Amino acid sequence: MTDKQYSRLVKEMSPNSPLLKDCAYAFAAGGLICVLGQFLMNRYTGMGLSKQDAAAWVSISLVGLSALLTGLSVYDDIAKYAGAGTLVPIMGFANAVAAPAVEFQTEGFILGVGAKMFTIAGPVIVYGLSASVIYGLIYWLGTIL
Protein backbone atom coordinates (compact mmCIF):
# COMPACT_ATOMS: atom_id res chain seq x y z
CA MET A 1 0.00 0.00 0.00
CA THR A 2 1.44 3.36 -0.99
CA ASP A 3 1.42 6.47 1.19
CA LYS A 4 -1.25 8.03 -1.01
CA GLN A 5 -3.53 4.99 -0.74
CA TYR A 6 -3.02 4.87 3.02
CA SER A 7 -3.84 8.57 3.37
CA ARG A 8 -7.02 8.12 1.33
CA LEU A 9 -8.04 5.11 3.44
CA VAL A 10 -7.49 7.01 6.69
CA LYS A 11 -9.53 9.95 5.38
CA GLU A 12 -12.39 7.63 4.38
CA MET A 13 -12.40 5.76 7.69
CA SER A 14 -12.05 8.80 9.98
CA PRO A 15 -15.34 10.23 11.21
CA ASN A 16 -16.09 13.82 10.31
CA SER A 17 -15.91 16.14 13.28
CA PRO A 18 -18.53 18.85 13.77
CA LEU A 19 -15.93 21.63 14.11
CA LEU A 20 -18.29 24.48 15.00
CA LYS A 21 -20.06 22.44 17.68
CA ASP A 22 -16.74 21.25 19.15
CA CYS A 23 -15.42 24.82 19.26
CA ALA A 24 -18.61 26.04 20.95
CA TYR A 25 -18.38 23.33 23.63
CA ALA A 26 -14.68 24.07 24.22
CA PHE A 27 -15.39 27.80 24.47
CA ALA A 28 -18.27 27.23 26.90
CA ALA A 29 -16.31 24.81 29.09
CA GLY A 30 -13.24 27.04 29.26
CA GLY A 31 -15.48 30.01 29.97
CA LEU A 32 -17.28 28.17 32.77
CA ILE A 33 -13.96 27.25 34.36
CA CYS A 34 -12.93 30.90 34.21
CA VAL A 35 -16.29 31.96 35.67
CA LEU A 36 -15.75 29.48 38.52
CA GLY A 37 -12.28 30.93 39.07
CA GLN A 38 -13.66 34.48 39.17
CA PHE A 39 -16.45 33.40 41.54
CA LEU A 40 -13.87 31.88 43.88
CA MET A 41 -11.69 34.99 43.59
CA ASN A 42 -14.64 37.19 44.59
CA ARG A 43 -15.48 34.90 47.51
CA TYR A 44 -11.91 34.79 48.80
CA THR A 45 -11.40 38.55 48.55
CA GLY A 46 -14.80 39.00 50.19
CA MET A 47 -13.50 36.94 53.11
CA GLY A 48 -10.74 39.51 53.60
CA LEU A 49 -7.85 37.94 51.72
CA SER A 50 -5.54 40.14 49.68
CA LYS A 51 -5.71 39.78 45.89
CA GLN A 52 -2.44 37.86 45.84
CA ASP A 53 -3.52 35.45 48.57
CA ALA A 54 -6.96 35.03 47.01
CA ALA A 55 -5.37 34.24 43.63
CA ALA A 56 -3.22 31.57 45.26
CA TRP A 57 -6.26 30.03 46.92
CA VAL A 58 -8.18 30.09 43.63
CA SER A 59 -5.35 28.14 41.99
CA ILE A 60 -5.23 25.68 44.87
CA SER A 61 -9.00 25.23 44.77
CA LEU A 62 -9.13 24.65 41.00
CA VAL A 63 -6.21 22.20 41.08
CA GLY A 64 -7.80 20.33 43.99
CA LEU A 65 -11.18 20.22 42.26
CA SER A 66 -9.57 18.95 39.06
CA ALA A 67 -7.67 16.23 40.92
CA LEU A 68 -10.85 15.18 42.72
CA LEU A 69 -12.89 15.06 39.50
CA THR A 70 -10.07 13.13 37.80
CA GLY A 71 -9.97 10.61 40.64
CA LEU A 72 -13.73 10.13 40.39
CA SER A 73 -13.45 9.70 36.57
CA VAL A 74 -15.73 12.69 36.02
CA TYR A 75 -13.16 15.01 34.42
CA ASP A 76 -12.62 12.65 31.48
CA ASP A 77 -16.37 12.54 30.83
CA ILE A 78 -16.50 16.34 30.80
CA ALA A 79 -13.45 16.48 28.50
CA LYS A 80 -15.15 14.18 25.97
CA TYR A 81 -17.62 16.95 25.21
CA ALA A 82 -15.63 20.05 26.13
CA GLY A 83 -12.38 19.09 24.41
CA ALA A 84 -9.66 21.73 24.58
CA GLY A 85 -11.83 23.86 26.86
CA THR A 86 -10.81 21.59 29.73
CA LEU A 87 -7.17 21.32 28.71
CA VAL A 88 -6.09 24.93 28.56
CA PRO A 89 -6.88 26.31 32.05
CA ILE A 90 -5.04 25.29 35.21
CA MET A 91 -7.51 22.44 35.75
CA GLY A 92 -6.27 20.76 32.58
CA PHE A 93 -2.72 20.79 33.86
CA ALA A 94 -3.82 19.28 37.17
CA ASN A 95 -5.71 16.62 35.23
CA ALA A 96 -2.58 15.83 33.21
CA VAL A 97 -0.71 15.15 36.46
CA ALA A 98 -3.49 13.27 38.25
CA ALA A 99 -4.74 11.05 35.39
CA PRO A 100 -1.56 8.94 35.00
CA ALA A 101 -1.33 8.62 38.78
CA VAL A 102 -4.87 7.22 38.91
CA GLU A 103 -4.27 4.98 35.91
CA PHE A 104 -1.10 3.37 37.25
CA GLN A 105 -2.05 3.12 40.95
CA THR A 106 -2.39 -0.66 40.64
CA GLU A 107 1.37 -0.85 40.04
CA GLY A 108 2.05 0.58 43.51
CA PHE A 109 2.95 3.96 44.91
CA ILE A 110 6.62 3.97 43.86
CA LEU A 111 6.67 2.31 40.42
CA GLY A 112 3.09 3.21 39.52
CA VAL A 113 1.93 6.53 40.93
CA GLY A 114 5.35 8.04 41.64
CA ALA A 115 6.98 7.03 38.37
CA LYS A 116 4.07 7.71 36.03
CA MET A 117 2.55 10.82 37.60
CA PHE A 118 4.67 13.26 35.58
CA THR A 119 4.83 11.36 32.27
CA ILE A 120 2.53 13.86 30.56
CA ALA A 121 3.08 17.03 32.58
CA GLY A 122 6.77 16.44 33.30
CA PRO A 123 8.11 17.77 30.00
CA VAL A 124 5.95 20.87 30.39
CA ILE A 125 7.34 21.49 33.88
CA VAL A 126 10.93 20.92 32.74
CA TYR A 127 10.53 23.20 29.72
CA GLY A 128 8.86 25.92 31.78
CA LEU A 129 11.53 25.85 34.46
CA SER A 130 14.36 25.75 31.94
CA ALA A 131 12.90 28.63 29.93
CA SER A 132 12.40 30.72 33.07
CA VAL A 133 16.01 30.12 34.19
CA ILE A 134 17.36 31.05 30.76
CA TYR A 135 15.15 34.15 30.62
CA GLY A 136 16.22 35.10 34.16
CA LEU A 137 19.89 34.78 33.26
CA ILE A 138 19.44 36.88 30.11
CA TYR A 139 17.56 39.51 32.12
CA TRP A 140 20.20 39.51 34.86
CA LEU A 141 23.02 39.83 32.31
CA GLY A 142 21.12 42.73 30.70
CA THR A 143 20.91 44.58 34.01
CA ILE A 144 24.60 44.27 34.90
CA LEU A 145 26.00 45.13 31.45
Side-chain angles (χ1 to χ4, degrees):
M1 180 177 279
T2 66
D3 288 341
K4 224 177 207 184
Q5 290 172 329
Y6 180 74
S7 296
R8 192 173 342 114
L9 180 64
V10 167
K11 193 172 184 175
E12 290 172 8
M13 300 299 282
S14 299
N16 290 333
S17 175
L19 186 62
L20 189 59
K21 184 175 107 177
D22 289 348
C23 288
Y25 283 163
F27 180 78
L32 286 174
I33 291 171
C34 292
V35 166
L36 175 62
Q38 187 62 51
F39 172 78
L40 291 172
M41 183 73 165
N42 293 346
R43 296 289 295 188
Y44 290 142
T45 53
M47 292 173 17
L49 293 174
S50 69
K51 271 191 163 185
Q52 188 174 6
D53 290 341
W57 277 106
V58 168
S59 297
I60 291 167
S61 300
L62 290 176
V63 167
L65 178 63
S66 175
L68 176 68
L69 292 176
T70 300
L72 297 173
S73 297
V74 173
Y75 201 86
D76 291 337
D77 294 337
I78 295 169
K80 284 179 188 175
Y81 296 102
T86 59
L87 297 177
V88 176
I90 192 170
M91 292 179 74
F93 186 75
N95 174 264
V97 173
V102 170
E103 184 178 342
F104 293 104
Q105 70 183 353
T106 57
E107 295 180 22
F109 285 112
I110 305 287
L111 297 176
V113 175
K116 303 292 185 179
M117 189 161 62
F118 294 106
T119 55
I120 296 172
V124 175
I125 294 170
V126 170
Y127 178 77
L129 287 173
S130 301
S132 66
V133 167
I134 291 169
Y135 176 77
L137 287 172
I138 292 170
Y139 179 78
W140 177 71
L141 287 172
T143 59
I144 64 170
L145 296 179

